[in-house]
């Protein structure tokens, strides 16, 4: 039996127009994981007050009828905006890829709290950390939290030079990664390909 959610808060991962008057918002919540909700567009509100990509959103929901599927947002508050993600196209692309990771894999998560914390940390890290390193760390930790042997199976498969660089990135603070290893793009590609081919994750 599905839980009827009345109050919801989380991070906006996607907004999709469903007509002239509505948008569908995909929200990743600490309590409920990935959720889809409908937002009624209104001319009474300014554009800046409406939920946008990567916002922290708090909302009260209403349902059209008993047993209906997707709820509507009745009241909402954007508690934080991450406008810095749109200032650099590389940062925005990396944030969008992290969002896609959670969109593709968030529906079947049994314990969303640790992954919500990871999503929050990853997006906020984009403000100062190199986006490639943030993506590598996010993918690695996501896989670990899902119980996948990424450390035991993926790392040992790398050639010695690539493995040392991957271990350096994974073991370093983002503040210490101002200059990334020369093969960082190769590390990210290798990890993504391994997760897509050897696990059920879609990256």
């Amino acid at each position: 039996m599905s839980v009827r959610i009345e109050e919801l808060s989380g991070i906006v991962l996607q907004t999709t127009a469903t007509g002239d008057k509505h948008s569908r918002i995909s929200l990743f919540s600490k309590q409920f994981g990935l959720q889809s909700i409908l937002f009624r567009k209104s001319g009474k509100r300014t554009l800046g007050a409406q939920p946008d990509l990567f916002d922290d959103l708090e909302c009260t929901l209403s349902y059209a009828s008993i047993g209906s599927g997707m709820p509507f947002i009745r009241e909402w508050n954007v508690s934080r905006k991450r406008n810095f993600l749109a200032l650099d196209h590389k940062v925005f692309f990396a944030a969008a890829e992290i969002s896609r990771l959670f969109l593709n894999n968030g529906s079947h998560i049994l314990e969303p709290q640790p992954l919500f914390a990871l999503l929050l940390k990853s997006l906020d890290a984009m403000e100062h950390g190199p986006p490639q390193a943030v993506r590598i760390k996010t993918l690695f930790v996501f896989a670990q939290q899902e119980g996948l042997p990424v450390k035991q199976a993926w790392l040992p498969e790398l050639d010695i030079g690539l493995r040392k660089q991957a271990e350096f990135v994974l073991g370093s603070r983002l503040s210490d990664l101002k200059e990334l290893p020369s093969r960082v793009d190769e590390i990210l590609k290798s990890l993504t390909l391994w997760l897509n081919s050897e696990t059920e994750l879609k990256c």
Side-chain angles (χ1 to χ4, degrees), residues 62-153:
S62 62
Y63 293 78
S65 61
I66 300 298
S68 63
M70 199 180 304
F72 288 88
I73 297 177
R74 188 173 73 227
E75 297 177 352
W76 75 92
N77 174 54
V78 175
S79 58
R80 182 183 179 191
K81 301 188 74 67
R82 294 180 174 84
N83 294 327
F84 63 87
L85 292 173
L87 298 179
D88 185 300
H89 75 278
K90 291 182 179 179
V91 171
F92 185 82
F93 176 79
E97 288 298 296
I98 289 174
S99 173
R100 189 165 66 90
L101 173 69
F102 282 79
L103 285 167
N104 287 343
N105 303 284
S107 299
H108 308 294
I109 292 171
L110 298 177
E111 297 292 338
Q113 295 91 338
L115 290 177
F116 177 83
L118 174 63
L119 174 62
L120 183 64
K121 183 177 181 180
S122 298
L123 292 179
D124 289 346
M126 292 285 184
E127 188 167 11
H128 302 294
Q132 295 138 301
V134 176
R135 283 187 64 194
I136 291 169
K137 286 176 175 286
T138 302
L139 283 169
F140 192 85
V141 174
F142 193 109
Q144 283 188 317
Q145 291 185 351
E146 287 299 285
L148 300 173
V150 63
K151 183 176 181 179
Q152 297 81 5

Side-chain angles (χ1 to χ4, degrees), residues 18-90:
T18 58
D20 294 336
K21 296 182 179 180
H22 298 93
S23 294
R24 184 180 68 200
I25 294 177
S26 296
L27 192 76
F28 197 86
S29 163
K30 179 179 180 180
Q31 184 177 0
F32 302 105
L34 187 63
Q35 299 290 321
S36 292
I37 50 182
L38 289 173
F39 173 75
R40 291 188 182 95
K41 300 174 184 178
S42 173
K44 296 179 181 179
R45 295 246 181 182
T46 63
L47 184 61
Q50 297 180 2
D52 202 359
L53 194 60
F54 307 128
D55 286 350
D56 285 352
L57 179 65
E58 303 166 351
C59 52
T60 302
L61 305 180
S62 62
Y63 293 78
S65 61
I66 300 298
S68 63
M70 199 180 304
F72 288 88
I73 297 177
R74 188 173 73 227
E75 297 177 352
W76 75 92
N77 174 54
V78 175
S79 58
R80 182 183 179 191
K81 301 188 74 67
R82 294 180 174 84
N83 294 327
F84 63 87
L85 292 173
L87 298 179
D88 185 300
H89 75 278
K90 291 182 179 179

